[in-house]
Amino acid sequence: ATVRLRAAQGLAGMGEKDSVPSLIGLLKDLPVDTVWEAEEYLSRIAGEQAPGLAVTADDASRTRAHDAWTKWWDENRDKVVLSRVNDLSRELGY
């Protein structure tokens, strides 16, 4: 799952919109200690339009977050500009 995260982040950074559903899917698959990375990246993509749900360790929270992000993507995929994510400051300079 961590390799899929890095690949999706890299592809999203290159403007590949097809990587966003992979990031959303990782909200269910990543270990608890790294799921925040997918959530944070998605939040940077969405900006102020991001769903207000946080992922926690329980499966119900992961499902709710996944569903909320899927709905967000369905409604906003045509408006998202992935290139602007690179313009935002990156945590720890990565």
Side-chain angles (χ1 to χ4, degrees):
T2 303
V3 173
R4 288 185 294 159
L5 171 65
R6 299 294 177 245
Q9 287 172 322
L11 290 168
M14 295 185 332
E16 287 291 329
K17 287 187 175 185
D18 291 338
S19 64
V20 175
S22 296
L23 285 166
I24 293 169
L26 287 167
L27 295 175
K28 287 184 170 182
D29 298 337
L30 283 169
V32 173
D33 60 336
T34 57
V35 72
W36 68 269
E37 292 183 52
E39 187 176 34
E40 188 268 338
Y41 202 93
L42 287 166
S43 293
R44 287 195 294 147
I45 291 170
E48 293 180 7
Q49 308 302 318
L53 297 172
V55 177
T56 61
D58 67 285
D59 290 337
S61 124
R62 287 173 174 252
T63 299
R64 283 191 303 274
H66 176 271
D67 293 348
W69 277 105
T70 299
K71 181 180 178 198
W72 170 84
W73 181 244
D74 290 342
E75 294 172 355
N76 294 286
R77 77 171 42 134
D78 295 331
K79 298 180 254 182
V80 169
V81 180
L82 292 177
S83 61
R84 77 175 186 88
V85 174
N86 289 332
D87 295 337
L88 302 172
S89 63
R90 295 183 179 193
E91 190 157 331
L92 301 177
Y94 295 129

